[in-house]
């Protein structure tokens, strides 16, 4: 369901319906290790910016943090029913590290976005505003903003410091399944079950472009 390269490009992590997170050696094409403590589908895997930690989100309602070097589980982040259930037409759940690697953002099936402290596993913030499943979250390159995409068809930008909404982008006519910031942080891209990719201006909230073709 998900793959992620380590920052140095030497290893690749994958998450699967078999409930296993696997780390692969890219050059050799061989398996380095399996992480096996999830009890349901693994929807998302992501390396921390320094490559030392791997996060995995699962339908067992946890985000687990793993030590890449020794394969040990560092902690399990649990906050109730915080993840989207797999649906026939959409099975996407993402986690996102802050640029400094100290915070993880996750989507919630109650329409909220949760920020977690990587060091001690505590919940830092819970942002409310979406009216349906949150499928995807992404930190801005400077770490000051989080974008979230939801089944309600909107993309919301959140101020990390105080949890306020900066913008709510409306335009998609179906689930928003993926969001991502541009490298300079000026634009957010969103992908949707309406078969479009849309670009949004972070500064003024306007839609810059809609890509059709899928």
């Amino acid at each position: 369901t998900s793959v992620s390269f380590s920052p140095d490009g030497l290893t690749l992590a994958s998450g699967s319906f078999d409930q296993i997170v696997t780390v692969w050696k890219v050059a050799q094409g061989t398996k380095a290790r399996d992480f096996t403590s999830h009890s349901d589908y693994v929807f998302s895997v992501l390396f921390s910016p320094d490559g030392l930690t791997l996060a995995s989100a699962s339908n067992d309602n946890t985000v687990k943090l793993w030590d890449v070097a020794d394969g040990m589980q560092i902690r399990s982040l649990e906050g109730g029913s915080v993840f989207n259930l797999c649906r026939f037409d959409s099975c996407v759940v993402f986690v996102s590290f802050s640029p400094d690697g100290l915070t993880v953002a996750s989507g919630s099936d109650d329409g909220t976005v949760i920020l977690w402290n990587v060091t001690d596993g505590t919940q830092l913030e819970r942002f409310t505003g979406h009216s349906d499943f949150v499928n995807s979250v992404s930190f801005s390159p400077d770490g000051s903003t989080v974008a979230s995409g939801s089944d309600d068809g909107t993309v919301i930008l959140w101020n990390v410091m105080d949890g306020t909404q900066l913008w709510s982008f409306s335009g998609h006519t179906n689930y928003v399944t993926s969001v991502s910031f541009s490298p300079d942080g000026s634009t957010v891209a969103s992908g949707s079950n309406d078969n479009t990719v849309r670009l949004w201006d972070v500064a003024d909230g306007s839609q810059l472009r809609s890509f059709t073709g899928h």
Side-chain angles (χ1 to χ4, degrees):
T1 57
S2 179
V3 291
S4 176
F5 273 103
S6 60
D8 62 11
L10 299 180
T11 56
L12 181 73
S14 59
S16 171
F17 273 17
D18 64 9
Q19 306 174 16
I20 297 172
V21 177
T22 300
V23 175
W24 309 85
K25 298 177 181 178
V26 173
Q28 296 85 354
T30 56
K31 184 185 294 187
R33 62 175 51 89
D34 285 332
F35 303 145
T36 58
S37 69
H38 280 299
S39 60
D40 209 329
Y41 305 146
V42 177
F43 286 133
S44 181
V45 292
L46 185 68
F47 281 95
S48 61
D50 61 10
L52 301 179
T53 305
L54 183 69
S56 57
S58 168
N59 204 49
D60 64 11
N61 297 328
T62 67
V63 170
K64 296 186 185 295
L65 302 180
W66 312 88
D67 188 303
V68 175
D70 62 19
M72 300 296 293
Q73 181 178 304
I74 300 170
R75 63 181 43 87
S76 181
L77 309 179
E78 304 177 25
S81 181
V82 298
F83 298 111
N84 199 339
L85 298 177
C86 180
R87 299 183 304 277
F88 175 78
D89 57 353
S90 180
C91 201
V92 184
V93 179
F94 285 102
V95 291
S96 179
F97 274 98
S98 60
D100 61 11
L102 299 179
T103 307
V104 167
S106 65
S108 167
D109 65 2
D110 63 5
T112 65
V113 174
I114 300 174
L115 299 188
W116 306 85
N117 185 314
V118 171
T119 303
D120 60 17
T122 58
Q123 284 191 33
L124 299 173
E125 298 286 349
R126 185 185 287 261
F127 302 151
T128 60
H130 286 294
S131 61
D132 212 330
F133 295 109
V134 175
N135 296 308
S136 181
V137 289
S138 178
F139 272 96
S140 62
D142 65 4
S144 66
T145 308
V146 168
S148 57
S150 168
D151 273 12
D152 64 15
T154 67
V155 177
I156 295 180
L157 298 189
W158 309 88
N159 184 316
V160 170
M161 293 300 296
D162 59 18
T164 57
Q165 287 188 33
L166 301 174
W167 297 108
S168 180
F169 304 147
S170 300
H172 285 295
T173 59
N174 209 318
Y175 307 146
V176 177
T177 55
S178 183
V179 292
S180 181
F181 278 91
S182 61
D184 65 4
S186 66
T187 307
V188 169
S190 57
S192 169
N193 274 31
D194 66 10
N195 304 332
T196 69
V197 175
R198 298 173 190 254
L199 300 185
W200 310 90
D201 190 305
V202 171
D204 62 17
S206 63
Q207 181 176 299
L208 300 173
R209 188 163 296 150
S210 178
F211 301 140
T212 60
H214 287 297

